[in-house]
Amino acid sequence: MDRFTGFPDAALDFYDDLELDNTKSFWESHKHVYDEAVRLPMLALTAALADEFGPAKVFRPYRDVRFAKDKTPYKNHQGAIVQVGSATGYYVEVGSPGVRVSGGYYHAGGPDLSRIRRAIDVAHSGEELERIVAELRRDGFEVRGDQLKTFPRGYPPDHPRIDLLRYRSMSMAKSYGFENLHTADLLDRVRDDWRALRPLVEWVRARVDVLG
């Protein structure tokens, strides 16, 4: 595996062009650009992080359009995840807006979501999560996720942590734009932010089914 040296301009150009022409013919004529400018650097980036965080899954570029209204066949970004628990882990992606990192839980199933909500409900563990989220916000992260408009069944609407209880999925994300995109310094930045996200990821991991 080659050493990570950043994502070249060709990666951004590829996704800019793909947004204008998301077709099989464009993909087939530019697949070599994707392989060299997007996929190989992402593999190098995640390989350099693997010793500390674990091996990553680099997602396929093809969209699942079976039940989607949008039938464009290819994703407009390249993502990778280090999964440490059930729908829980560290994430990084590159696309035309640049690079974004995040960490948390994604699409938690019924039993896992129930465990997370019970932990939020309990004062000790719920207040711990509040402190983690507040510290990450101070560090420039934003809360993202699928959130109920009302409140989950079994919890009062005036619960002191009702905003956290509403989430069906929750991650803390930070967008870099194009900063450090073309240099090896991006590796250090992703590593530092994944380290900052570790308390959140470990909080969730302790409360969901851990992968065997």
Side-chain angles (χ1 to χ4, degrees):
M1 177 67 64
D2 291 337
R3 184 173 62 89
F4 179 73
T5 58
F7 290 96
D9 286 331
L12 302 182
D13 293 340
F14 172 81
Y15 281 113
D16 283 339
D17 293 341
L18 182 65
E19 288 183 1
L20 297 174
D21 188 8
N22 197 318
T23 62
K24 184 178 180 181
S25 59
F26 171 85
W27 182 268
E28 288 181 345
S29 62
H30 293 81
K31 187 176 182 300
H32 66 286
V33 180
Y34 164 78
D35 288 335
E36 295 169 7
V38 178
R39 184 171 177 79
L40 287 179
M42 181 62 80
L43 289 171
L45 174 63
T46 54
L49 295 163
D51 284 347
E52 181 172 350
F53 296 95
K57 174 184 178 182
V58 176
F59 291 109
R60 290 162 56 85
Y62 313 106
R63 296 182 64 248
D64 184 354
V65 299
R66 289 174 297 174
F67 308 106
K69 292 181 179 180
D70 179 3
K71 297 300 182 181
T72 51
Y74 304 103
K75 297 175 184 176
N76 62 1
H77 61 273
Q78 175 63 67
I81 187 170
V82 175
Q83 195 166 351
V84 301
S86 179
T88 305
Y90 305 91
Y91 179 78
V92 60
E93 75 171 35
V94 63
S96 56
V99 173
R100 178 170 67 91
V101 296
S102 63
Y105 63 95
Y106 313 88
H107 312 297
D112 285 337
L113 184 56
S114 294
R115 294 184 187 100
I116 290 169
R117 283 179 172 158
R118 285 198 298 269
I120 294 171
D121 181 38
V122 173
H124 174 72
S125 54
E127 290 170 0
E128 180 187 3
L129 179 60
E130 280 186 311
R131 289 192 295 271
I132 292 169
V133 170
E135 184 172 341
L136 286 168
R137 277 179 162 156
R138 287 192 295 270
D139 196 27
F141 289 89
E142 296 179 344
V143 183
R144 297 189 179 186
D146 179 25
Q147 193 177 29
L148 293 171
K149 293 182 179 179
T150 56
F151 51 91
R153 185 178 303 172
Y155 297 96
D158 60 349
H159 191 287
R161 289 173 293 282
I162 192 62
D163 285 344
L164 291 175
L165 286 167
R166 285 193 178 108
Y167 282 101
R168 289 177 289 206
S169 63
M170 190 186 79
S171 65
M172 301 293 291
K174 184 184 288 187
S175 296
Y176 300 163
F178 310 121
E179 295 178 14
N180 306 121
L181 180 71
H182 307 310
T183 73
D185 292 341
L186 180 63
L187 168 61
D188 294 330
R189 190 167 186 184
V190 174
R191 181 187 289 114
D192 288 344
D193 280 333
W194 278 10
R195 286 173 177 169
L197 288 161
R198 183 175 282 133
L200 172 61
V201 172
E202 291 301 322
W203 188 96
V204 178
R205 183 184 186 185
R207 290 158 179 88
V208 302
D209 289 339
V210 177
L211 296 177

